Amino acid sequence: MKGIELLSVFFIAIVAIGGAVARLLTVGGALMAFFVGSSVWIGLGLDGLLLLATFFLTSSFWSLYRRDQKSESAQHIEKGEQRDAYQVLANGGWAALFALYGTLFQEEVFYVGAVCALATANSDTWASEIGVLSKGRPIHVFTLQRVPRGTSGGVTVLGTVAGGLGAATIAFLASLLEIFSLEAAIVVFLFAVGGMWLDTLLGATIQRKQRCLICKNETEARIHCGQRTVYLRGLKWMTNDVVNASAIGVSAIASLYIVLLT
């Protein structure tokens, strides 16, 4: 193994271990992060690591930013602040898959899908973590009624703008790194934003919802107020991780298809 390759693997391992030590990742999440990071590196090299690091560091920053003001939204989400293996796979699995495809089949167009997957994940994370800091409560995408912060399907102007900036950060950084053209970056940006909205729509319609028998609140969590919650509506297998993976996969595949046609 060459020196630069050894340093790259060491860097991926340090980031994964550091995430676990900082309690941003569970042990399983750290192991999955190492797998995703290694796959992206194999496909996209150091440029891919830079994109992945940008996603991980910025999403972690926004997750921790003004944490004390996010207590209301935390009551409605399925998992805590530590990302587990399923969350890491849902957000990074498509990027890893397309990066490996690009290398295996020697087709750089697959890298468009890999970058779009990261851009969509970044867009959704920025929208969620920054949107809950909006002064006004979010509006449900279908009912147009005010809903509690953290409610699936709730949107704010702040969150929407943040999501667009998150998508642009990854898409146009990839263009600057010459992974693909500016035209392809625009396609990636548009589909990443579309993926963010698809995530919202799926969350508002078919994502599984539970009800807490203690506080009577609607939540994604199976355990709330120290007690097991009961099924309320939605597809029972459609967890938040499945919603994230579905939205990211659709946006990545669609962007790849459009670039192939142009």
Side-chain angles (χ1 to χ4, degrees):
M1 183 177 289
K2 298 179 181 179
I4 189 65
E5 295 175 345
L6 185 61
L7 284 175
S8 298
V9 173
F10 180 73
F11 172 77
I12 297 169
I14 287 297
V15 171
I17 294 171
V21 171
R23 301 185 65 80
L24 296 172
L25 300 169
T26 64
V27 173
L31 292 173
M32 186 60 70
F34 181 78
F35 166 75
V36 169
S38 299
S39 299
V40 171
W41 166 65
I42 289 171
L44 289 166
L46 295 179
D47 290 342
L49 282 187
L50 180 57
L51 291 175
L52 193 59
T54 300
F55 163 61
F56 178 72
L57 293 175
T58 59
S59 62
S60 297
F61 172 79
W62 289 121
S63 295
L64 296 174
Y65 183 70
R66 296 189 179 182
R67 182 192 303 178
D68 57 323
Q69 297 182 25
K70 299 178 180 179
S71 57
E72 179 184 353
S73 63
Q75 298 179 29
H76 300 276
I77 60 176
E78 184 175 5
K79 300 177 181 179
E81 295 172 346
Q82 279 187 297
R83 291 177 172 84
D84 60 20
Y86 295 109
Q87 286 171 291
V88 175
L89 182 61
N91 284 279
W94 285 104
L97 180 65
F98 280 121
L100 291 176
Y101 268 19
T103 298
L104 181 63
F105 297 107
Q106 294 297 301
E107 291 287 348
E108 293 186 359
V109 70
F110 283 112
Y111 298 150
V112 171
V115 175
C116 188
L118 288 178
T120 306
N122 205 48
S123 177
D124 182 60
T125 302
W126 283 34
S128 300
E129 297 295 345
I130 299 175
V132 296
L133 299 175
S134 180
K135 292 183 179 180
R137 289 198 169 195
I139 296 175
H140 195 274
V141 68
F142 286 126
T143 67
L144 303 181
Q145 299 296 314
R146 296 285 180 180
V147 292
R149 292 178 177 84
T151 300
S152 295
V155 297
T156 64
V157 173
L158 179 62
T160 301
V161 172
L165 291 174
T169 297
I170 298 297
F172 294 109
L173 176 58
S175 178
L176 288 174
L177 293 172
E178 298 183 348
I179 294 175
F180 45 56
S181 66
L182 178 60
E183 290 77 11
I186 294 173
V187 171
V188 166
F189 165 73
L190 293 174
F191 277 94
V193 171
M196 173 191 70
W197 278 103
L198 178 59
D199 187 284
T200 300
L201 295 175
L202 293 176
T205 53
I206 60 176
Q207 182 177 338
R208 187 193 70 213
K209 301 294 191 307
Q210 306 284 115
R211 184 175 296 283
C212 177
L213 295 176
I214 305 300
C215 67
K216 309 302 181 183
N217 282 329
E218 180 180 309
T219 178
E220 299 172 5
R222 292 181 181 270
I223 302 295
H224 199 269
C225 294
Q227 299 291 328
R228 183 172 293 277
T229 56
V230 296
Y231 169 76
L232 184 61
R233 65 176 183 277
L235 301 178
K236 291 186 177 181
W237 54 269
M238 185 61 74
T239 65
N240 184 252
D241 290 336
V242 177
V243 166
N244 288 342
S246 300
I248 291 170
V250 169
S251 63
I253 293 170
S255 67
L256 176 61
Y257 183 71
I258 292 299
V259 170
L260 280 172
L261 289 179
T262 57

